[in-house]
Amino acid sequence: LEDTLGDAGEEITGAVLFTDLWGFTGFAESHLPYDVIHALNLLFRHLGRAVDDHDGYVDKYIGDNLMAIFGLRDESAEETCLNAVRAARDMLASLPAVNRYLADYLGGEFRLGIGIAYGPMVTGELGFPPKRQFTAIGDTVNVASRLEGLNQIYGTDILISDVTRGAVDDVIVTRPIDKVGVKGRQEGILIYALVGERDALSEDE
């Protein structure tokens, strides 16, 4: 029984955010290991703060990328997706400060792409018992992961799924991008680029 504690999974409906750091491979190849880790930790401090500020959970770091989950507190669909979108917005807003630091001390520049998907997922602790970690798995995670990589193809910064857009359409302005295939799905999904929040865009006008 002791070995099975934590094995119980739970299905929730939430949002998953993935980041995709562009240009890091070249940076890592041209800098000392100390500088590579220093630069990544500087970036992750900003990205993690954005997740934390909007009630998200940093699930894991995957090399130079990050996965975060929103909606673990039983928030509504709109609140969950808004939190994820606003965290993504804050991540991008923090990037110039990181790049100024890199330019001043290390050279190089980072570019960030972000994918967000909303839907059902299974959460629970996974892994070898001494190193178990809480995480989420499922189709929603796969969609978010697919979206983050598509930013480089479409020249966008934040791509969200059609379901995510539907949850925040009253607050968020988006631009349709394409219908794309996702592994494990027979039909493609519509994807949208984030433009901004309606109130903020009205003030700018």
Side-chain angles (χ1 to χ4, degrees):
L1 286 175
E2 289 179 356
D3 290 340
T4 60
L5 290 176
D7 281 351
E10 180 183 6
E11 185 173 56
I12 69 165
T13 303
V16 176
L17 178 155
F18 271 97
T19 65
D20 181 29
L21 187 61
W22 310 356
F24 179 74
T25 300
F27 179 89
E29 290 175 348
S30 59
H31 288 80
L32 295 171
Y34 175 89
D35 293 331
V36 172
I37 296 300
H38 176 67
L40 267 185
N41 279 330
L42 172 65
L43 176 67
F44 283 147
R45 280 199 295 273
H46 286 279
L47 302 188
R49 186 178 301 119
V51 173
D52 197 51
D53 286 347
H54 295 285
D55 296 328
Y57 170 79
V58 175
D59 178 280
K60 62 172 65 72
Y61 301 98
I62 309 166
D64 55 345
N65 296 324
L66 172 151
M67 171 183 165
I69 307 170
F70 297 81
L72 294 173
R73 304 177 185 179
D74 294 324
E75 297 97 331
S76 67
E78 182 181 60
E79 185 177 3
T80 297
C81 293
L82 276 178
N83 280 337
V85 166
R86 287 167 175 167
R89 175 203 61 194
D90 288 357
M91 288 177 177
L92 290 180
S94 70
L95 200 57
V98 174
N99 283 333
R100 283 194 298 270
Y101 181 90
L102 294 179
D104 289 343
Y105 297 104
L106 298 175
E109 181 178 273
F110 293 156
R111 174 92 185 269
L112 199 64
I114 301 171
I116 300 171
Y118 178 78
M121 65 189 84
V122 174
T123 61
E125 291 188 356
L126 292 175
F128 180 56
K131 296 289 289 183
R132 289 193 180 201
Q133 181 181 354
F134 178 85
T135 191
I137 58 175
D139 182 62
T140 300
V141 179
N142 295 337
V143 171
S145 178
R146 173 92 164 104
L147 294 185
E148 49 103 330
L150 290 174
N151 283 289
Q152 292 195 56
I153 296 175
Y154 293 105
T156 51
D157 295 313
I158 302 173
L159 287 174
I160 66 175
S161 66
D162 50 355
V163 179
T164 308
R165 174 183 176 268
V168 295
D169 196 38
D170 291 340
V171 183
I172 299 297
V173 178
T174 58
R175 175 168 56 91
I177 295 295
D178 204 348
K179 187 174 185 178
V180 299
V182 177
K183 185 178 180 180
R185 284 194 175 201
Q186 291 185 342
E187 296 186 3
I189 63 168
L190 296 171
I191 62 173
Y192 297 81
L194 178 69
V195 175
E197 295 197 27
R198 295 188 185 278
D199 290 345
L201 292 173
S202 298
E203 290 175 3
D204 291 341
E205 293 173 359

